[in-house]
Amino acid sequence: YSVDQGQILPSRSALPDRVLRRIRADVKRREARLRERMLLRVSFNQINAKFGPSSRWTEARKDQEWASYRGKLVRWRGELREVGTSLGVRYMAVRHLRSTLSMDVQVFLSAEEYKKAAQLPIGSSITYEGYLNTYMGAIAALTLNEGRLVGR
């Protein structure tokens, strides 16, 4: 047992491994359910129609509307085009449109997710998620923060 702010708490060794495994599994399930509830049900194509280069919206309207999307969690499926670093920032580049030469979405990754992405062959079809960050106009990609690979 240990003392924390005047409370007596069981030490890590006081809990059997099977109990710890059950607790970890329960936390993972709860996190997954929470992520599902937070997920914005919008496709890349829907976002691209509003904010992409073919949008009929003015830049002023895009900026105004983006405020309601920024920071929202999305999950999409696309083609892995690159995994790399730039100025110390880890990312993966994902293409959705056949007409795009390089990438439609740049997904910023943690070190752990970067390692996972780096194991995949370029051209792989991936499912990923992240929080909408920026749309960067006609010639640059959309960006997502806290990217995570969900599946292949």
Side-chain angles (χ1 to χ4, degrees):
Y1 287 89
S2 65
V3 177
D4 182 24
Q5 297 179 2
Q7 295 181 340
I8 298 176
L9 302 172
S11 66
R12 188 173 196 278
S13 62
L15 294 173
D17 284 343
R18 64 181 165 70
V19 173
L20 288 173
R21 281 193 301 273
R22 256 190 271 148
I23 291 170
R24 285 187 196 109
D26 186 50
V27 167
K28 260 189 163 175
R29 280 191 301 277
R30 289 172 191 246
E31 286 175 348
R33 282 196 302 266
L34 181 60
R35 288 181 85 79
E36 283 297 322
R37 277 188 262 149
M38 291 173 48
L39 196 62
L40 181 64
R41 308 276 181 204
V42 62
S43 69
F44 168 81
N45 289 336
Q46 290 169 313
I47 291 288
N48 191 52
K50 291 179 179 182
F51 300 100
S54 301
S55 172
R56 293 182 178 212
W57 286 0
T58 64
E59 289 303 311
R61 179 160 183 209
K62 288 179 183 180
D63 289 343
Q64 185 179 20
E65 292 288 329
W66 187 253
S68 66
Y69 286 92
R70 185 175 184 165
K72 303 292 191 218
L73 180 66
V74 293
R75 182 179 298 149
W76 293 332
R77 186 161 188 77
E79 177 189 349
L80 182 65
R81 299 293 290 175
E82 180 184 356
V83 178
T85 60
S86 178
L87 302 171
V89 177
R90 294 172 294 274
Y91 69 90
M92 67 180 173
V94 182
R95 182 172 76 167
H96 288 264
L97 305 172
R98 288 181 185 255
S99 60
T100 303
L101 296 177
S102 60
M103 70 174 134
D104 297 303
V105 182
Q106 186 174 30
V107 185
F108 300 120
L109 304 169
S110 67
E112 181 181 337
E113 291 298 322
Y114 178 81
K115 286 178 187 174
K116 290 180 194 175
Q119 300 300 313
L120 299 174
I122 300 304
S124 296
S125 182
I126 60 168
T127 301
Y128 65 97
E129 62 185 30
Y131 295 91
L132 292 168
N133 182 34
T134 59
Y135 75 91
M136 298 181 19
I139 59 168
L142 183 77
T143 65
L144 301 182
N145 287 333
E146 298 179 44
R148 193 170 86 88
L149 285 166
V150 178
R152 285 187 67 189

